[in-house]
Amino acid sequence: LETTMEEARVARGHQGRVYYTSGSSFEINKPLSAVRPMFLRLIDQEIHLNLDKYHGTLLENRCNLVVNLLNQIKIPRLVELAAVLNQYLHLDIIESKFTQALSTEERVSTATHLLVYLLH
């Protein structure tokens, strides 16, 4: 991943990033399954770079990092939607009544938006 990111920077002449991933044919019909490995790797790299801030289990650290990143985005109540990422990133963030009431389509759409926010 790092080599590809560096090649993309040189090719484009700026600090943009190119992310790529591959998915399992077993999960081909599951929304967002193809991006799971990439996001988990990015989350784990961030945890590794900031080990002094994260002292829990891997699952706790991943949940805390995602919640912290969403808290940094200046959109009111955005972090309250974080539980929709549980299914896609194998997290364990507590569901609110609002997120529990979302339809499958709304959950996929919300998760997609949250993942884009996390990339910034």
Side-chain angles (χ1 to χ4, degrees):
L1 183 62
E2 290 298 324
T3 303
T4 302
M5 289 169 45
E6 186 58 35
E7 289 171 357
R9 284 188 198 115
V10 171
R12 292 179 176 206
H14 62 77
Q15 296 297 315
R17 291 186 178 187
V18 174
Y19 297 103
Y20 68 93
T21 187
S22 62
S24 163
S25 60
F26 177 73
E27 295 186 325
I28 198 160
N29 293 325
K30 294 182 181 178
L32 304 175
S33 63
V35 298
R36 178 182 300 129
M38 179 193 69
F39 274 94
L40 291 178
R41 182 168 177 184
L42 291 172
I43 289 168
D44 292 348
Q45 285 176 346
E46 185 67 24
I47 291 168
H48 182 73
L49 291 173
N50 296 288
L51 285 176
D52 57 317
K53 295 180 185 178
Y54 299 99
H55 304 288
T57 65
L58 179 60
L59 177 61
E60 291 169 339
N61 291 341
R62 285 176 172 172
C63 293
N64 289 335
L65 176 65
V66 167
V67 168
N68 290 340
L69 290 172
L70 291 175
N71 269 326
Q72 292 174 16
I73 300 168
K74 303 300 181 198
I75 298 176
R77 304 181 72 179
L78 184 65
V79 74
E80 294 175 24
L81 301 172
V84 300
L85 295 172
N86 288 345
Q87 173 183 350
Y88 308 107
L89 299 180
H90 300 299
L91 301 174
D92 191 25
I93 299 170
I94 297 172
E95 293 270 354
S96 67
K97 289 182 181 182
F98 178 76
T99 58
Q100 288 175 342
L102 293 174
S103 69
T104 301
E105 294 80 17
E106 291 169 326
R107 291 180 78 82
V108 171
S109 176
T110 301
T112 302
H113 285 89
L114 291 178
L115 291 172
V116 170
Y117 288 135
L118 289 175
L119 286 176
H120 288 290

